[in-house]
Amino acid sequence: MNAYSFCKLGYADVDQLLQIEEQVYSHPWTRGNFHDSLYSAHEIFGLRDNKQELVAYFVLMPVVDEIHLLNFAVSACMQGQGYARILLDKMSSYVREKPFSSILLEVRVSNQRAIEIYQRYGFTEIGRRKLYYPAANNSREDAIVMRMDL
Ligand SMILES: CC(C)(COP(=O)(O)OP(=O)(O)OC[C@H]1O[C@@H](n2cnc3c(N)ncnc32)[C@H](O)[C@@H]1OP(=O)(O)O)[C@@H](O)C(=O)NCCC(=O)NCCS
């Protein structure tokens, strides 16, 4: 794996975020979603390679004593090389420095790969949200809610 740096992202990085977002999600966040998130003081962190290209990112929303992981992605050409694990390590060490007791996330029931990555990392299913996500052909898909206590 190449050298990389970890940094906080802001409005100036939204074009690069969108490039990855639109590659890897069937229903990607829009520019407006990223702007709303930044405006609401959610925190966006990214991994950049040695050419300063964005490789991966995540978005965190604090809710009282919990952190919600709102978005978590690795660029299409860098997947399968261990970046998800690095991203989860960065996220949990950042969150552990703060007074939070757990990390919560939602994931599509069909996203088996992400579910397995989260489970192996220590997240467990705590519930389901029926028809939470938009899906193909105007249908909806359930979300699995997962939590990891810190
Ligand atoms: C889910 C996602 C973040 C995984 O990122 P990644 O960098 O490819 O994952 P990694 O290379 O770190 O692999 C993590 C694990 O998956 C395994 N894996 C790698 N490639 C795989 C593949 N093609 N199929 C299944 N498992 C695979 C690895 O062996 C690794 O296992 P380990 O933790 O036991 O070592 C990435 O696929 C992605 O961005 N997907 C689109 C966005 C998304 O779905 N995000 C989650 C929203 S909740």
Side-chain angles (χ1 to χ4, degrees), residues 108-121:
R108 288 176 185 268
V109 287
S110 64
N111 196 347
Q112 199 52 42
R113 180 171 176 188
I115 293 166
E116 281 173 22
I117 289 170
Y118 294 138
Q119 279 171 341
R120 277 199 297 267
Y121 203 76

Side-chain angles (χ1 to χ4, degrees), residues 18 21-22 25 27-35 37 42 44 59 70-71:
L18 281 171
E21 182 78 14
E22 289 168 3
Y25 283 114
H27 294 76
W29 278 24
T30 61
R31 183 177 300 278
N33 293 140
F34 280 109
H35 280 206
S37 213
H42 302 166
I44 308 183
V59 181
L70 298 184
N71 196 332

Side-chain angles (χ1 to χ4, degrees), residues 24-25 71-75 78-87 105-108 111 113-114 116-118 120 133:
V24 301
Y25 283 114
N71 196 332
F72 182 84
V74 175
S75 74
M78 302 306 261
Q79 290 183 11
Q81 299 177 46
Y83 282 103
R85 178 117 204 156
I86 293 173
L87 219 51
L105 62 85
E106 278 110 12
V107 55
R108 288 176 185 268
N111 196 347
R113 180 171 176 188
E116 281 173 22
I117 289 170
Y118 294 138
R120 277 199 297 267
Y133 290 110

